[in-house]
């Protein structure tokens, strides 16, 4: 670990691995902002749904739109062309579009620009934050869990049954495979059999190590 590196903590992992909850709690404990990179991809997916446009079509017109993430230790607010769209980003329709959107190189480059404008310190979660977006981050973590465990976590957040949510998670895992690779220097934690607070404590313990 390079003490001169910017104080950025990356927490990556597949869908419903617990990275968002962990990143938010870690940020709260440290008293620094939490940044959810996935919300930016969801905002692009929402834009496509509103316009009835394919991921390819949206990719070619992103520079015409203004996307902004305003982080705090408690929440992220997402603004699309000046309108706050945070409440509209968590739906099955967006779930099903976001992987195809996130695979577009132009979309990823656009979102990465938005992320890199945020001044550290912060904790950020996503799929390739430590490996691609912030390779210079001081601390990197990768959370994983079995698909069935992740589906049980996600089903309470969606108006859908377990089988539907599990199927969506498996499809997202396949679609996001290239983006869901741990950084070589990331600490990998399997959260399948441990609770949220235990994962948070494990992350904080690594941060305390010299």
């Amino acid at each position: 670990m390079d003490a001169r590196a910017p104080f950025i903590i990356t927490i990556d992992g597949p869908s419903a691995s617990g990275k968002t909850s962990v990143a938010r709690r870690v940020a709260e404990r440290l008293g620094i902002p939490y940044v959810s990179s996935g919300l930016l991809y969801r905002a692009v997916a929402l834009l496509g749904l509103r316009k009835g446009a394919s991921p390819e079509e949206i990719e070619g017109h992103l520079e015409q739109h203004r996307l902004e993430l305003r982080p705090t230790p408690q929440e992220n607010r997402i603004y699309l062309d000046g309108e706050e769209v945070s409440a509209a980003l968590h739906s099955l329709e967006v779930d099903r579009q976001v992987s195809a959107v996130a695979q577009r190189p132009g979309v990823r480059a656009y979102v990465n620009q938005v992320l890199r404008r945020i001044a550290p310190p912060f904790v950020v979660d996503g799929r390739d934050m430590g490996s691609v977006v912030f390779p210079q981050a001081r601390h990197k973590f990768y959370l994983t869990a079995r698909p069935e465990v992740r589906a049980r976590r996600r089903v309470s957040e969606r108006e859908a049954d377990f089988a539907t949510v599990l199927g969506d998670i498996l499809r997202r895992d396949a679609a996001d495979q290239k983006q869901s690779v741990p950084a070589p220097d990331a600490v990998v934690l399997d959260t399948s059999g441990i609770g949220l607070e235990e994962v948070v404590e494990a992350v904080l313990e690594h941060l305390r190590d010299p």
Side-chain angles (χ1 to χ4, degrees), residues 7-126:
F7 196 81
I8 298 172
I9 300 168
T10 63
I11 300 183
D12 291 315
S15 178
S17 59
K19 59 185 181 294
T20 297
S21 298
V22 171
R24 185 179 288 116
R25 292 289 186 92
V26 169
E28 288 175 356
R29 294 280 292 273
L30 296 176
I32 62 176
Y34 153 68
V35 172
S36 175
S37 68
L39 292 179
L40 296 173
Y41 289 105
R42 287 178 172 274
V44 176
L46 178 66
L47 178 64
L49 288 168
R50 285 181 170 183
K51 290 183 171 295
S54 69
E56 293 84 355
E57 291 167 334
I58 286 296
E59 180 181 31
H61 296 91
L62 277 176
E63 295 301 333
Q64 299 173 14
H65 299 277
R66 189 173 78 259
L67 186 58
E68 183 183 4
L69 185 154
R70 300 179 189 173
T72 72
Q74 289 77 34
E75 64 179 349
N76 283 201
R77 293 185 175 182
I78 305 296
Y79 294 82
L80 181 60
D81 295 326
E83 173 195 356
E84 185 178 359
V85 296
S86 311
L89 300 181
H90 297 285
S91 69
L92 277 174
E93 290 76 19
V94 171
D95 285 355
R96 289 167 176 166
Q97 278 289 104
V98 68
S99 289
V101 164
Q103 289 179 54
R104 305 303 305 175
V107 174
R108 300 196 70 80
Y110 178 80
V111 168
N112 290 348
Q113 287 177 9
V114 176
L115 288 167
R116 288 169 181 151
R117 287 198 292 266
I118 302 171
F122 56 79
V123 182
V124 59
D125 74 333

